[in-house]
Amino acid sequence: MESLQAFWDMGGYGHFVWPAYGVVAVVLIGLFVESRRSLKSAEAELAALAPSKAEDTDDET
Amino acid sequence: MFHRFANPARFLRFAAVIQPWIAGLTVLLFAVGLYLGLLASPADYQQGETVRMMYVHVPSAWMALFCYTGMAISCGVALIWKHPLADLAAKATAPVGASFTFLALVTGSLWGKPMWGAWWVWDARLTSMLVLFFLYLGYMALNNAFDDPGRGSKASSILALVGFVNVPIIKFSVDWWNTLHQPASVVKMGGPAIHASILSPLLVMGVAFTTYYLWVLLIRIRREVTANKVRALQMRQASRGEQ
């Protein structure tokens, strides 16, 4: 438990180190989630326009 | 080779195969990198535990420059050869590069406060990174500013290419001007000036950030290709409706 406390404290710099890791985690996970959500909604839009072509990755003929 | 992936349909098939591998690799590399960076590596003799911020700050800054270089090359290819995927790759890269630049600035600020005593100083390295952030934002704004997507990508590509002059300025800013920021210690003549115990988590995190970029890039290019198909179908249906 004491070592966990020391890990959290980061030699007195915990309130600089952890926010740095926190902002990286929030931005990278957020960007990934937004990118995926945006892909899914574009795919849903395509499926609604052309149901037969939803799974078709070739250019429309 | 170059033209094999110019076809968006072929690219989508290629992306479907490699994306799960890149996803798995990214998760694994982040796990190893965080373990090495937070648990297995020692504190710096001068900077103490604050050195651990380097494992997220430096990869963010590397990727900020890497993404901009990739974006500028894609814009050049799109302008000269009208390569259909190059334009999409540039457009898909911009938000990722802007995010990395933002992270480099914020983590640098959090590191600067305890080490330099200031959240921000207007010196060459920091200011040129801020300019890079605005170049990304300018590219994205210009790309979306026209009704005709073709004109938007042409104008924004020219901005991206002109703005590339900032990349060597950032890289060499610590040599050309007096600055608080430390000079390059990994990519320099004579090899890295960092001990292996600190260099290895840094390199693992650097590769993790790179595979993360490729992962998100694949997703965003797939999104752009899909959105283009939607636009083409909508235009065809609209023109059919007019007849």
Side-chain angles (χ1 to χ4, degrees), chain B residues 1 7 27 41 52 88-89 117 123 126 134 156 195 205 212 233:
Chain B
M1 171 65 203
N7 181 331
V27 173
S41 62
R52 301 193 195 283
L88 300 184
D123 89 345
L126 282 70
F134 289 131
S156 56
H195 192 262
M205 287 298 268
Y212 168 88
L233 278 172

Side-chain angles (χ1 to χ4, degrees), chain A residues 23-24 27-28 30-32 34-35, chain B residues 60-61 63-64 67 93-106 133 136-137 140 209 212 216 220:
Chain A
V23 69
V24 170
V27 169
L28 293 190
L31 180 68
F32 171 76
E34 190 273 327
S35 303
Chain B
S60 298
M63 292 312 292
C67 288
T93 294
V96 192
S99 301
F100 284 132
T101 313
F102 173 78
L103 288 176
L105 289 167
V106 173
F133 184 60
Y136 276 120
L137 297 188
M140 290 189 278
F209 273 58
Y212 168 88
V216 173
R220 297 192 78 93

Side-chain angles (χ1 to χ4, degrees), chain B residues 77-97:
Chain B
V77 171
L79 278 177
I80 297 166
W81 288 291
K82 312 278 182 228
H83 190 297
L85 267 180
D87 189 42
L88 300 184
K91 200 177 168 191
T93 294
V96 192

Side-chain angles (χ1 to χ4, degrees), chain B residues 24-76:
Chain B
L25 195 62
T26 304
V27 173
L28 181 73
L29 283 165
F30 267 112
V32 174
L34 287 173
Y35 168 75
L36 290 176
L38 289 172
L39 294 166
S41 62
D44 185 68
Y45 81 104
Q46 258 187 337
Q47 303 206 4
E49 303 285 352
T50 62
V51 73
R52 301 193 195 283
M53 281 188 268
M54 179 176 73
Y55 307 133
V56 287
H57 172 72
V58 172
S60 298
W62 280 343
M63 292 312 292
L65 294 178
F66 182 82
C67 288
Y68 197 91
T69 306
M71 192 175 92
I73 292 171
S74 298
C75 286

